[in-house]
Structures are given as structure tokens and as C-alpha cells.
């Protein structure tokens, strides 16, 4: 679990609920019709804006923001170094059996390409195209949530306009003005809250996670090419560690020492 | 049909209509004069902003957002592989007759260039210029709808200002204030709704579709150049499959196996 | 005449006028003092933002948005092909006399450079610098109108604030509140209308026209360099046609056939 | 003096003053406390946003927007051509004494590098680093004013919120509501006016001036490298004139002819 | 201490406090519940938007905006020149002991690489990767504060909507409208103030500081590579001084002369 995402959304809604209760009733703020306009409108507009499969996949994308794939750049580098040592001692072909234990599809694919004796330039080309495709797909996911984050407040305003126009049409009874306006404003409230507590933050979290995943894949790419070039495992390690922040490097050093 | 676009726009308007009816009358929200200001103003401004032919073409562009050109990156790759096999066995000249069955103009043009023995560098140049031109033309279409998406709310506000100023001028009868303000707000309502349910989402859908179309053309470009270079069909397949997402690749594998 | 620009601005103002009249008097919306604040403020801020000569030139720039320089990419290509044929038959020096009939300064300059036997690399350099300079100058023109499009609503709001503050100061007579607020809102109305019907659309039209002009100049540049390199006129035609959209190419084909 | 900047700011404030007087008293709009909140808040936020020395330098930067350094691209080119002629006739070393008469530090430095026989690649490197540094420094100046242009309206709104909250707290006497709101709105008025008549336009003027200054330095850079390469002064002239707009070129031609 | 940051935030809050007191009571503006909604909501959304470790580190990042790491580009250059002299006289290996006195990790790492006789291309690669990683990490810090600067006003508005809706629900007693609205507006006030006096300016200050730190590291990188290439210390000095502004260069010249 990505605790940040969970705690953030939960605590955000609890805070807002406390803010509401301290001066009124939570029931006032639960209005199914308003929710229908804001969420329904947002989803409708998103269906127009994005291909159906992408929209249907959004549930899966949201899940990604809640998952906490342990950032394993360190173990990735260790894997690469093990592969490099193996390749040094037993030749490139020995990597094939090792690849069966890996569960990273990208790493597997790269090893197979190397074992097949593919031209290094072509290996780089194929893996970089793969990489840019992953990036592209991630961007669609982020874009989906950013788009929802811009449509939600817009439909919040549309809902408020509907409420205001309906209210202004029949100003017979002044005592109804207040409650009618209150209801009208609820859609704007929903729109702002959804955009700023759910859609936009999730879009950002997806962006951060995407960057980490791409960084890992870049480490794999550089590592595999170095292995193919027959570089010294020590130099490979030095090279790949440059991708890590100093804070992340320490455990690696230890790990490698333990390994050595 | 692109179901997403259709369902999105239809359900969006239905939702808004339900939201309106639940508390008032749909007739209140049908105001031809307001529609004239918002749509008329938006079209007028767009006529100033874009060349006449582009604006007149906007109907055709909208149609594109509703069409569901089955994403056929897979069949494109299969076509390329068939061409590669043909070229291997019977030489480049044999491609000419095959090109007659293709209905992709871009692919046809590329084949003719290859068959004519054009210099590879020039083939790449010509096809890339063509590609960048297609991209440019797509961008004009997207820009048109983005522009309309920014003008619609602006003219909504202009309409509301006109209504407010007219109302404020003659505040004799307080009982008319409410209805007059209601009418004034309808243009803002139209502007927001058009922008966020129609113009901006369509602009985004056009962008996504353009990207897919360009991806296909890039696959064709790379494939043709590989054929011209006499590369092995298997390697060409490997190269082009990197352009596809893993999800899209599966059917291809099957298809190719069936083909084999 | 660029009919789009003319029709757009004219019909936009007529529509707004109809919208006003349908519910009030056009006289209410003609307020010289408000116009002075909005237009005066916008021009004053633009004088601070841009060099005096650029601002003084803005009249000439506006004219450009109304002109309809017939997009003559086709005739440009035909000119280039004629030049290429001439150069093939009679040598590069023969181009000099032909250049006298051309009225495109850029084309003329390029021909002279070629005739003078300038190094191809230098020709490209000189013409590209010229091109980037033209682009830069165009951007200043567009920027001028975009800037005015952002200042106009700002001064509209400043005007409304002045009106509101003046009104709120003396709330003695409630019957004056309405009309005073109406007057105060007129500057916002002016600002929005000017920005969205005049300044921003014109800035966009200038951008589109600039792109077309630069495309033509790029065609000339590529064409001249191909002529200098002694390329086959047929290949030059093929190369340059790639710059045109399929729709634009047809008339060229005909034209060339007629020519042939 | 840059007349545009001066006339723009002066006429802008005069126009606003006329707009105020026509319907109220200018005294209403002079509120030291409001000015303190807007200007003070803007300066405080800018102190947080930028390093102290940059903020203290802002006076000097403003001065730049009012100065009218006569755009002397023409004389720069003439200087370069004179240097080129001198170098042709008397050798590169002869440039040293000429450099003493120049007051452009950048030109001087370049000449010294050339005279010292520095490697051309290194000369380009050193001068381009210098250039990019000048650009960087200019960008800080522009950023400072853009930042102030975004903080001023924000603190205008903060001031208005303070005024509104204070007013709403004690709604005992309805007759005070109007004047209190008027005072509250004055900070928004200040913020908008400062941003749109002073900060943002000055940021833009600084950008334009920076571009001109960098253009001159680029001309010098290209010219010096051509001189070092021993190119023909005529070709150097041709090359450098491409940096000028056609309008700017005419006086140069005359000047050079006079010179010749 | 970075006096600018401290003085800016302190004087900003004092100014606002004076503005409040001049017309009301500071107590009105201290509302824990409102602060909870704005700050709590902002932090909750930030937890969703950024990884937990980055958010927890934000305290450390803030500290950076208050620290005044004396910009020591000059001493960095002097260090490099000393190293260059040492390397000239005693060979590259002599640098190792000197590196022990340095406290810049980046410089140390670079020296070790050089002493180890690492290939220059690899040294550049490793240090540039390190550099781009530092830049990336800095950007996360800036992004964190920019994000908070956009969430704070959003939750300010959410809080105001809650207050307004609660108030409008029960309009029984008109005398409570004013104070209730005042309280409702306080969250908007908090959101604007936090964003414009704290979050956004700090994000900008972090950006400026990051640029300076990266500049220093670039100077080190270029200097070390020049040392490794065995370049003349005078030329190295000339090269590195180009990274400094003229104002910063003077003390260096003196320092170097003193040193000489």
C-alpha cells in the first residue's frame, strides 16, 4: 500500500467532514443529485476526451496510485551486477537461464536480445522504443486524471449555474433563497474537492511513480548494454549507482559488500 | 462509430437535463437569443482566428472525433511483414502490384518511392516531411476546437454582462430582478457547457486520434526503410512490434502465427 | 481581403448589438469614458511593454490580418521548377535575368547568392538566418496582440473597480445603485469583447498567416539549394510537393501538366 | 530615454485619474494603508522569492526599461567590418590597439582572445558561455518583475479580504457598508493597476531589450570568429547583415558606402 | 541565514497584521478551524500528490530556503586552480591527498575518479548523471512547494464554500449573516496568504538556489575535466571565470593575484 495516498485522501475527507460538522450538518453536504451532475458530467466529458479503453482502464490506473511498489532500484542494480559477473565468468549465453528467475518483463526481453547476439545498436533502439512507449502509456494515465481535475470544477460551476437560474426564476418566497443557493453551491464544492483532493493529486502521484519506473528501466537498459559490451562489473556498478541519490546508495553499498 | 464520443456527449446532456428538471423546467434553459450570442460570438471569433477553409472544414473534423477507425497498427505491421517477405523472395519491384490493394495513401506513396529506387535518405526525407505535414494539419483541427473552447465561456460572460447591464439600468420593479438575472446567467451556462462537454473534450479526442494515426505512419515509415535496406522480416517484425503496447502485441503474435 | 477576418469581426459586433437591443438600448452600451479607460489603458500598457516602433506599426500588422495574400505555395513551386529547368538547360547564370521578374525579395536574394557562386553551406546559413529573422518579427506582431488581449480585460476590471468604489462611497440614494453598477460593468464588457472578438483572434490569425509565409520561404530555400546542387527538376518537384497538403497538391499537378 | 515606457506609464495613470475624477474624487483612491498592504506584501513576497542582491538591484533594472540605448546593431556591424579590414591588411595583432577605443566589454574581451591566438573552438566556447550568462542574468530581472506582477493582484485580493472580513464582523450600521466595501476594494484596484500598468509591461519591455542586446552580442561573436578565420570582409558583412531586418539594413548600406 | 527569506516572511506577516489591526481585531483573523481546513487539506492533498518520504523531507527543504550558503563559486574556482597547479607540478596522483580537505562530495568524487585514471568520457558521464540527479531531486522540492501553493487557495475556497453553504441553510436571523460570511471568508484569506507569502515564494527561492548550486557543480565538472586533460591552469581559470558574472569576477581576480 502507498500509505501517503491512502492517508492523504482519508485524512482530507475527515478534515473536511470535521470542518462541516463544526458548524452544520453533514447531511446538508450529501446531495445525490449534485454528485450526479459533477461526477456524471466529468465522466461524460472524459469519455468524449479519451478513448473508451483508456477510460475503462482508469480504475486500474487509480490502483497504481495506491500501490507501493517498493522502489527497488537497488535490487535492480544488484541484479545487473550479478548478471555482469555471470556473463564475465560463463559468457553471455549463461544469462539465459538466469533470466527465467526475473519477473521484470523489460529485463527479460533485454537479456534475450543480448543472448541472441543482437547488434548493440539495435538492442538500444528496441529497448528505447519500448521505454518511450511505456512513458507514453503512463502519460495517458496522468492526462486522464489531469483532465478530470479540470472538468470536475467546470461541471461544479455548471451545476451551480443550474441551481442559481432555477432559484432566480421563482423569487416569490424570500425564505427559500438561502437554502436554494446553498444547494446550488454544493456542486461547486464537490467539483473543487474532487479536483484538489482526488484527481489532481493522483495525477501527480502517477507522474512521480512513472518517473521512478522509467528510471529503473533506464538503469536496466544501461546495465544490459554495458554487460553486452563486456565492461568490468565494478565500472558497471559505479555507472549505475550514479542513477541513485546518495541516500539510496548507502544500502546498496552495504548490500554489495555483503554480496561480495 | 466512436462510442465514447457519442455516449459521452449524449449522457452529458441527459445528465444536465435531469439536473435541470429535478428542480425547474427545461424551458427556462432554452433561450435562442442566449444561444445566438454564445454560439454566434464563438463562431465569429473563430472566423477571425482561423482561415475560412479551416473553419468550414470543422464539420468534417468533428466527424473524425465520432468515427472509430479501428486502430489497425497490428494489420499495418502484418502488411509490412508481408511486403518484406514478398520483397525478399521476388525483389523490390514485386511490391508495386501489391501496393494497388492497399488503401493507405501514405503506404502506397512509400512503396512507389522504393520501387522507383529512390535514395533511402530521400525516401526518409520525403515521408517525414509528409508526416510532419499531416501532424501540422491535425494540430490546426485540434487548435480550432481548443480555441472554440476558450471563446465559448468568454462570450458566455459577455452575454451575462449584457443581461446584467440591461437589468441594472432599470431597477424599477424589484420582482423582475430575479428572472432577468436568471436569463443573464444562461449565456454563462451555455458557454461553460459547450466548452467542457463539447469543444475541449473533442479537441482532446482529436489529439489522441492524431497520435495513433501518426504512430501508424511512423511504423510504415520505419518498415518501408527496413524493407528497402533488405533487412530480415523477423527483425523488422521485432522492430515494429516495439511500437505497440504489450496488450496490443498479443493479437499480433497470434495473427502472425496464424499467418505462418 | 481576408473574408473570414472581416465577416467574423463584423458579424460578431452585429450579433452582440442584436443581443443588446433585444432587451435594452444600444445607447446604454456606448460610453466614451469607459472606452477611454479600456482602450487607453490597454494602449498605455502596450507602450510600456513593447518598443515604440513596434506599437506604431500595429496598424500595419492589423492590415495583414485583413489581407488575403492568396496562398501561392503552388505558384512558388512552379517558379522553382521553371528556375530549375532553366538552370539545367542554360546554367546557373541564366537565373539572374529571371530573378528580375520575381517580386519575392527572399527568392531574389537567394537567386543572386546562387548566381554569385556562394558556397551552398553559406547560402543555407544566410537564408535560414533571414528566415528566423522574419519569424522573430512575426512573433513580435503576434505578441503585441496577445498582450493587448490580456491587458484589455485587466483594464476592463480596473474600470469596473473604479466605478464600484465611486458608487459604494455614496450610497445615499438607493435608486442610483443599479445604473451606477451598470456603468461600472461596461468597462468589463468592453475589455472582454475587445479581447475575445478582436485582439486574441487577430493574434491567432497572424500566427496562421505567419506559418504559411514561412512555409513558402522554406519551400524556396529547399528549392534553391536543390537547384544549386544541380538536382533533377522532377525530383525537386517531388521534394517540394511534400510540403503541400494533398488538397493543395492537386491544382499543382494540373498546373504542371498544363505547363509540360 | 525610452519614450514608450515613460509615455505609457504616465498616460496610463493620467487616464485612470481622469476616469476616477469624472465620477468621484481622486482622494478616495489614495489610501496609504491599502498601498502599504499591496506594495509591502508584494515586496515581502519578492524578498522571499529572490535573493536579496537581485531585489536590491531591481531599481537598476527598472532604469533599464526607461533607458533608450540606441539600437546600434548597425554600428556594431560597421565596427566588425572595420576590424576585419584592419586584420586583413595588418594582421590580427593590429586589432589590439583598436580594441581600446571600443566600449563594449564583450567585444573587447573577444578581440583580446583572438589577438592572444586562442583556439577558435575555445573562443566560441568562452564567448557563448559569457552570452548565456548575460541571458541568465537578464532572465532574473524579467522574472523579478513577472513575479511582482503576479504577487501584486494576490495581495490586492488579500487586502480586500481583510477589509471585507472586518466589515462583515460588525454589520450594525448599514450606512457604513458601502464606504467600507469601497475601501476594501481599493487594494484590488491597486494590485490590478500595478500589475498591468507597471510590473508586467516592464517585464515584457525588459525581455524585448534583452533580445536586442543578445542579438548584438551574437553579431559580435559571429563577426569575431569570421575575422579570426580570415574571411573576406565583404562576406562577413553579408553574413552579419542577415541578422538585421530589411528596415534596419538600409542605413547600414548607406553607412558602408559612405565608409567605402 | 538567508536574510531575504526571513525578512520577507516576517515583514509580510507584520504588514498584514498592521493592515488588520488598523480597522479591526487580529483575533477575528485567528480561527483554528479555518486554519485546520486550509493547512490540513493542503497537507492531505500533498500526501496524495507526492511520495511520503518527499513530504516528510519538506521541513529540511524549507530550511534550505532560509540558509544562506555563501555563494562560493569564486572559492570553487580557486580550489580548481590550486588543484590544476598541483597536478601540473606533481602529477594527478598528488590530488588525492588534497581531496581529503575538500568538503564538497561532488568534487571529492570527481578527484577520486581522475586519480583512478578513469576514462575522461566516463568521468564526464558519471558526473553529469550525478548532476542531473541532483537537479531532479531539487525539482521535486520545488514542485512540492509549488503544489502546496496551488492547493492552499483551493482548500481556502473549499472552506469558504462550506461556510457559505452552512450559513445559507439557516438564514433565520439576518444579524448572523455578516459574521458567518466573515468566518467563511477567512479560509480564502488563509489560502491566499499562505500561497503568496510562503509556498510560492519559497518554491521560487529554492529554484534560484538550485540554479546556483548546479552552476557550481558545472564549474567543478568542467574544471576537473580540464585538469585531467592537462590543460594550462591559466586557460582553465579563463574558462571557468566565464561562468561568473562580471560583478562576481572581480573578487576572484584579486584573490588570484593575491594567490599568485
Amino acid at each position: 500500500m502507498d500509505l501517503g495516498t491512502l492517508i492523504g485522501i482519508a485524512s482530507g475527507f475527515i478534515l473536511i467532514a470535521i470542518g462541516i460538522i463544526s458548524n452544520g450538518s453533514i447531511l446538508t453536504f450529501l446531495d445525490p443529485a449534485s454528485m450526479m451532475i459533477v461526477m456524471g458530467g466529468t465522466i461524460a466529458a472524459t469519455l468524449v476526451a479519451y478513448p473508451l479503453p483508456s477510460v475503462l482502464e482508469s480504475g486500474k490506473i487509480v490502483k497504481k496510485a495506491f500501490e507501493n511498489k517498493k522502489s527497488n532500484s537497488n535490487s535492480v542494480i544488484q541484479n545487473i551486477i550479478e548478471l555482469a559477473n555471470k556473463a564475465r565468468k560463463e559468457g553471455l549465453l549463461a544469462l539465459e537461464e538466469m533470466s527465467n528467475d526475473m519477473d521484470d518483463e523489460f529485463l527479460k526481453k533485454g537479456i534475450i536480445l543480448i543472448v541472441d547476439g543482437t547488434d548493440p545498436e539495435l538492442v538500444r533502439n528496441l529497448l528505447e522504443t519500448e521505454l518511450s512507449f511505456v512513458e507514453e502509456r503512463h502519460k495517458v494515465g496522468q492526462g486522464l486524471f489531469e483532465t478530470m481535475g479540470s472538468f470536475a470544477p467546470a461541471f461544479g460551476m455548471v451545476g451551480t449555474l443550474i441551481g442559481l437560474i432555477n432559484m432566480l426564476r421563482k423569487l416569490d418566497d424570500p425564505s427559500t433563497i438561502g437554502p436554494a443557493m446553498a444547494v446550488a453551491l454544493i456542486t461547486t464544492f464537490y467539483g473543487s474537492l474532487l479536483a484538489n483532493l482526488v484527481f489532481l493529486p493522483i495525477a501527480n502521484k502517477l507522474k512521480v511513480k512513472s518517473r521512478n519506473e522509467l528510471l529503473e528501466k533506464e538503469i536496466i537498459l544501461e546495465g544490459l548494454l554495458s554487460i553486452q559490451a563486456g565492461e568490468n562489473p565494478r565500472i558497471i556498478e559505479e555507472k549505475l549507482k550514479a542513477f541513485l541519490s546518495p541516500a539510496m546508495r548507502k544500502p546498496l553499498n552495504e548490500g554489495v559488500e555483503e554480496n561480495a
Side-chain angles (χ1 to χ4, degrees), chain A:
Chain A
M1 280 300 291
D2 181 327
L3 279 179
T5 308
L6 191 75
I7 295 177
I9 290 186
S11 66
F13 277 111
I14 291 170
L15 269 169
I16 297 298
I18 295 175
I20 289 171
I21 293 168
S22 74
N23 227 319
S25 151
I26 200 96
L27 287 175
T28 318
F29 288 79
L30 296 178
D31 189 56
S34 300
M35 185 46 91
M36 188 195 75
I37 288 181
V38 176
M39 272 311 292
T42 302
I43 292 170
T46 308
L47 274 170
V48 182
Y50 279 91
L52 200 51
S54 302
V55 180
L56 294 176
E57 228 174 24
S58 65
K60 236 194 289 177
I61 301 173
V62 166
K63 232 184 75 189
K64 225 175 175 177
F66 281 94
E67 272 170 12
N68 203 4
K69 204 171 57 131
K70 196 100 186 71
S71 173
N72 49 5
S73 305
N74 277 328
S75 65
V76 162
I77 295 184
Q78 285 195 35
N79 276 343
I80 296 286
I81 296 169
E82 280 174 42
L83 288 166
N85 279 317
K86 185 92 170 184
R88 272 238 143 171
K89 291 183 209 139
E90 312 176 23
L92 285 170
L93 293 177
L95 301 181
E96 191 152 28
E97 60 182 302
M98 278 185 81
S99 79
N100 295 327
D101 308 338
M102 317 273 168
D103 39 45
D104 187 309
E105 281 301 320
F106 186 76
L107 179 55
K108 248 182 180 159
K109 180 174 183 177
I111 293 175
I112 290 166
L113 284 170
I114 290 180
V115 170
D116 285 358
T118 318
D119 181 70
E121 202 49 41
L122 185 56
V123 173
R124 176 179 286 280
N125 248 323
L126 289 173
L127 294 184
E128 278 182 351
T129 315
E130 182 98 21
L131 212 67
S132 73
F133 181 83
V134 171
E135 193 177 2
E136 180 71 24
R137 208 174 17 149
H138 285 181
K139 270 189 191 156
V140 170
Q142 297 156 31
L144 201 71
F145 280 85
E146 275 169 18
T147 303
M148 290 203 273
S150 84
F151 284 143
F155 281 97
M157 200 185 99
V158 165
T160 297
L161 284 168
I162 293 176
L164 283 181
I165 293 171
N166 273 336
M167 177 198 84
L168 290 164
R169 273 276 152 189
K170 35 186 180 181
L171 277 180
D172 314 328
D173 182 1
S175 74
T176 62
I177 296 178
M181 265 194 74
V183 172
L185 285 175
I186 282 175
T187 52
T188 295
F189 168 74
Y190 284 166
S192 301
L193 198 59
L194 281 171
N196 291 293
L197 191 55
V198 181
F199 297 142
L200 296 177
I202 282 182
N204 200 75
K205 179 70 76 67
L206 289 171
K207 188 151 63 181
V208 174
K209 297 210 164 179
S210 163
R211 229 182 298 156
N212 285 342
E213 200 179 321
L214 290 171
L215 178 68
E216 262 175 47
K217 293 216 186 319
E218 268 174 60
I219 292 175
I220 292 174
L221 171 56
E222 290 306 325
L224 288 176
L225 288 169
S226 299
I227 291 174
Q228 195 178 24
E231 284 179 21
N232 187 314
R234 269 232 76 79
I235 290 185
I236 296 179
E237 187 190 336
E238 196 67 31
K239 234 177 168 174
L240 300 185
K241 278 198 315 189
F243 283 100
L244 302 184
S245 72
M248 286 163 79
R249 255 172 241 162
K250 286 203 197 102
L252 177 64
N253 287 341
E254 291 164 20
V256 169
E257 273 155 38
E258 277 169 35
N259 239 25

